[in-house]
Amino acid sequence: MLSLRALASLLASLSALSALPAAAAEPASRVAVSPIYSQLLAHSLPGGFQVAYENDSGPEYIREAVPLGQTVQKWTQMITVTGAKGLAANPDATPRRFVEVMAAGFKKACPDTFAAQLVHEGNLPSGQPAVTAWMACGATGDAPDPLRSEAALVTAIQGAADIYSVQWSMRGAASKTAPQFDDAVWGPRFKALMPIRVCNLVKGEKAPYPSCTNPR
């Protein structure tokens, strides 16, 4: 049995602990929805990311999110959404072809340290054909900036009229060898973006687009 002195000491310790500030909660993920030309595109945006850039040039749409405190000029991770207006009408513009063209761009930037891997091919829960591929450079960059590694997990989606993509990119230290795909790193990122969903526009509906964020 505790003595009165020991009990008093324990109570004092507990009181001191309760006075400590609570640890900051991990920012919650949220559903990000954008009307992109003929349809809505929704995906989960992980906590700790903020939209830093958005532009619709007419035939092309882009939205970039980076970790809090970073910019689209200097970032370690970036989540990018794109849309290509009317591209789905081209029979050669499939989701697989989209990721192949992106991978070719990576390979051109780092022919000696390039790597790529198909991750998933099938339909989204909302029914659209989609292809997910990982691509990476061990060493890339333009002078005067130092060389860096860069990798991206890209999901391309065929909409009713347009082609969309959701990409999670990461930069790190440069390597003299081609990176290896690590499912322990990229698997959770792939899941963190889910569900990716393409929805039809609803006349008169405005943000946050409940028909796509909470479909029945």
Side-chain angles (χ1 to χ4, degrees):
M1 180 179 294
L2 288 174
S3 67
L4 290 177
R5 180 175 294 179
L7 182 59
S9 177
L10 177 59
L11 289 173
S13 298
L14 291 174
S15 177
L17 286 173
S18 66
L20 292 175
E26 182 71 19
S29 64
R30 62 183 178 86
V31 179
V33 187
S34 292
I36 306 176
Y37 306 126
S38 64
Q39 291 178 288
L40 297 166
L41 179 68
H43 70 91
S44 292
L45 184 65
F49 280 82
Q50 62 180 356
V51 174
Y53 178 77
E54 185 175 27
N55 185 56
D56 178 358
S57 64
E60 295 180 352
Y61 169 90
I62 186 169
R63 188 187 76 220
E64 297 173 328
V66 296
L68 296 172
Q70 298 185 18
T71 68
V72 294
Q73 289 76 35
K74 291 188 177 182
W75 52 271
T76 57
Q77 297 187 72
M78 178 180 285
I79 296 174
T80 305
V81 169
T82 71
K85 188 175 184 179
L87 190 59
N90 183 338
D92 295 324
T94 63
R96 177 180 276 268
R97 182 57 180 157
F98 184 98
V99 298
E100 287 175 347
V101 170
M102 282 203 66
F106 267 72
K107 187 174 183 178
K108 183 177 181 180
C110 59
D112 298 327
T113 61
F114 168 74
Q117 181 169 315
L118 180 66
V119 175
H120 183 265
E121 186 167 12
N123 288 353
L124 296 178
S126 52
Q128 293 79 17
V131 173
T132 300
W134 171 84
M135 54 203 71
C137 281
T140 185
D142 300 314
D145 294 330
L147 291 176
R148 62 177 184 272
S149 65
E150 187 162 333
L153 189 72
V154 182
T155 296
I157 306 116
Q158 185 168 348
D162 315 309
I163 297 288
Y164 307 108
S165 76
V166 181
Q167 310 163 25
W168 192 321
S169 303
M170 183 171 68
R171 288 176 172 174
S175 170
K176 294 181 180 179
T177 59
Q180 298 293 315
F181 176 77
D182 187 348
D183 188 58
V185 172
W186 292 100
R189 287 185 168 87
F190 181 62
K191 292 178 181 178
L193 294 172
M194 296 295 157
I196 298 173
R197 188 182 296 119
V198 176
C199 309
N200 292 327
L201 294 166
V202 175
K203 186 176 181 179
E205 186 180 54
K206 298 180 180 180
Y209 307 102
S211 67
C212 201
T213 56
N214 298 294
R216 294 180 180 179

